Amino acid sequence: HVQLVESGGGSVQAGGSLKLSCAASGATYSAYCVGWFRQTPGKKREGVAAIDNGGRTSYADSVKGRFTISKDNTNNTFDLQMNSLEPEDTARYFCATPVYCLGSSTIATIRETRFGQGTQVTVSS
Protein backbone atom coordinates (compact mmCIF):
# COMPACT_ATOMS: atom_id res chain seq x y z
CA HIS A 1 0.00 0.00 0.00
CA VAL A 2 1.00 3.60 -0.42
CA GLN A 3 2.08 5.61 2.63
CA LEU A 4 1.31 9.31 2.76
CA VAL A 5 2.71 11.93 5.14
CA GLU A 6 1.41 15.49 5.22
CA SER A 7 3.19 18.56 6.50
CA GLY A 8 2.71 22.30 6.52
CA GLY A 9 -0.48 22.89 8.46
CA GLY A 10 -0.83 25.55 11.11
CA SER A 11 -2.70 28.66 12.18
CA VAL A 12 -3.09 31.79 10.12
CA GLN A 13 -5.28 34.86 10.02
CA ALA A 14 -7.94 35.32 7.37
CA GLY A 15 -6.39 36.44 4.11
CA GLY A 16 -3.16 34.62 4.80
CA SER A 17 -1.53 31.69 3.04
CA LEU A 18 -0.32 28.21 3.86
CA LYS A 19 1.30 25.48 1.81
CA LEU A 20 0.64 21.83 2.53
CA SER A 21 2.94 19.10 1.27
CA CYS A 22 2.44 15.38 0.93
CA ALA A 23 5.19 12.79 0.55
CA ALA A 24 4.15 9.45 -0.95
CA SER A 25 6.05 6.18 -0.64
CA GLY A 26 5.36 2.51 -1.23
CA ALA A 27 2.94 1.60 -4.00
CA THR A 28 2.21 4.32 -6.51
CA TYR A 29 -0.82 4.80 -8.70
CA SER A 30 0.55 6.85 -11.54
CA ALA A 31 -2.53 6.30 -13.69
CA TYR A 32 -4.80 7.92 -11.12
CA CYS A 33 -5.19 11.32 -9.58
CA VAL A 34 -3.73 12.46 -6.29
CA GLY A 35 -5.66 14.88 -4.17
CA TRP A 36 -6.43 16.74 -0.99
CA PHE A 37 -9.51 16.35 1.17
CA ARG A 38 -10.61 18.15 4.30
CA GLN A 39 -12.90 17.39 7.19
CA THR A 40 -14.36 19.23 10.14
CA PRO A 41 -16.00 17.52 13.14
CA GLY A 42 -19.46 16.23 12.34
CA LYS A 43 -19.12 16.72 8.60
CA LYS A 44 -18.27 14.43 5.71
CA ARG A 45 -14.80 14.52 4.26
CA GLU A 46 -14.85 16.67 1.11
CA GLY A 47 -12.58 16.76 -1.88
CA VAL A 48 -10.71 20.04 -2.16
CA ALA A 49 -8.30 19.62 -5.06
CA ALA A 50 -6.93 16.88 -7.28
CA ILE A 51 -4.47 16.53 -10.13
CA ASP A 52 -4.18 13.77 -12.71
CA ASN A 53 -1.12 12.23 -14.30
CA GLY A 54 -1.30 14.77 -17.14
CA GLY A 55 -1.31 17.74 -14.80
CA ARG A 56 -5.02 18.52 -15.22
CA THR A 57 -6.56 19.86 -12.03
CA SER A 58 -9.93 19.77 -10.33
CA TYR A 59 -11.09 21.98 -7.47
CA ALA A 60 -14.05 22.30 -5.18
CA ASP A 61 -16.05 25.40 -6.09
CA SER A 62 -15.36 26.89 -2.67
CA VAL A 63 -11.59 27.03 -3.27
CA LYS A 64 -11.33 27.80 -6.98
CA GLY A 65 -9.08 30.76 -7.59
CA ARG A 66 -7.55 30.50 -4.12
CA PHE A 67 -5.98 27.04 -3.91
CA THR A 68 -3.48 25.46 -6.29
CA ILE A 69 -2.47 21.82 -6.38
CA SER A 70 0.81 20.69 -7.91
CA LYS A 71 2.88 17.55 -7.98
CA ASP A 72 6.46 16.48 -8.46
CA ASN A 73 6.57 13.05 -10.09
CA THR A 74 10.31 12.73 -9.60
CA ASN A 75 10.12 13.07 -5.83
CA ASN A 76 6.62 11.57 -5.37
CA THR A 77 5.36 14.67 -3.61
CA PHE A 78 2.34 16.86 -4.14
CA ASP A 79 1.49 20.22 -2.65
CA LEU A 80 -1.51 22.40 -1.96
CA GLN A 81 -0.87 26.13 -2.00
CA MET A 82 -3.69 27.90 -0.16
CA ASN A 83 -4.08 31.66 -0.54
CA SER A 84 -6.71 34.11 0.66
CA LEU A 85 -7.65 31.73 3.43
CA GLU A 86 -11.03 32.12 5.09
CA PRO A 87 -12.27 30.94 8.49
CA GLU A 88 -14.46 28.45 6.58
CA ASP A 89 -11.27 26.74 5.37
CA THR A 90 -10.52 25.63 8.93
CA ALA A 91 -10.36 21.83 8.86
CA ARG A 92 -8.07 18.85 9.03
CA TYR A 93 -6.55 18.34 5.60
CA PHE A 94 -5.65 14.93 4.23
CA CYS A 95 -3.69 13.99 1.14
CA ALA A 96 -4.96 10.96 -0.71
CA THR A 97 -4.26 8.60 -3.57
CA PRO A 98 -5.51 7.02 -5.74
CA VAL A 99 -8.36 9.44 -6.30
CA TYR A 100 -10.90 9.81 -9.09
CA CYS A 101 -10.92 13.25 -10.67
CA LEU A 102 -12.55 14.57 -13.82
CA GLY A 103 -13.09 17.98 -15.32
CA SER A 104 -12.86 21.15 -13.31
CA SER A 105 -14.55 20.01 -10.11
CA THR A 106 -15.16 16.25 -9.82
CA ILE A 107 -13.13 14.73 -6.99
CA ALA A 108 -14.06 11.42 -5.41
CA THR A 109 -12.60 8.55 -3.48
CA ILE A 110 -12.49 5.00 -4.80
CA ARG A 111 -12.24 1.70 -2.99
CA GLU A 112 -8.42 1.79 -3.05
CA THR A 113 -8.07 5.37 -1.80
CA ARG A 114 -5.62 5.79 1.07
CA PHE A 115 -5.27 8.88 3.27
CA GLY A 116 -2.43 10.35 5.24
CA GLN A 117 -2.81 11.11 8.94
CA GLY A 118 -3.88 14.68 8.21
CA THR A 119 -2.67 18.11 9.19
CA GLN A 120 -4.71 20.79 10.92
CA VAL A 121 -5.34 24.16 9.29
CA THR A 122 -6.91 26.86 11.44
CA VAL A 123 -7.91 30.23 10.01
CA SER A 124 -8.91 32.96 12.45
CA SER A 125 -11.00 35.98 11.57
Side-chain angles (χ1 to χ4, degrees), residues 21-124:
S21 296
C22 183
S25 60
T28 58
Y29 300 89
S30 58
Y32 290 87
C33 304
V34 298
W36 289 91
F37 290 72
R38 66 186 181 188
Q39 189 171 26
T40 55
K43 292 189 176 181
K44 287 183 61 176
R45 194 172 296 185
E46 67 166 337
V48 174
I51 185 168
D52 70 11
N53 59 350
R56 290 173 289 266
T57 56
S58 305
Y59 296 96
D61 288 342
S62 59
V63 307
K64 282 181 180 175
R66 301 188 297 121
F67 290 13
T68 303
I69 187 171
S70 60
K71 69 173 184 173
D72 182 341
N73 291 326
T74 300
N75 294 311
N76 282 335
T77 59
F78 52 105
D79 298 336
L80 184 67
Q81 177 66 47
M82 306 184 293
N83 298 329
S84 301
L85 283 161
E86 303 168 352
E88 293 73 23
D89 296 317
T90 295
R92 192 163 186 83
Y93 284 72
F94 302 83
C95 59
T97 192
V99 169
Y100 176 77
C101 67
L102 181 68
S104 64
S105 59
T106 298
I107 305 165
T109 59
I110 59 175
R111 185 180 62 184
E112 295 81 3
T113 299
R114 296 291 182 268
F115 294 92
Q117 80 287 355
T119 185
Q120 180 66 33
V121 171
T122 302
V123 185
S124 58

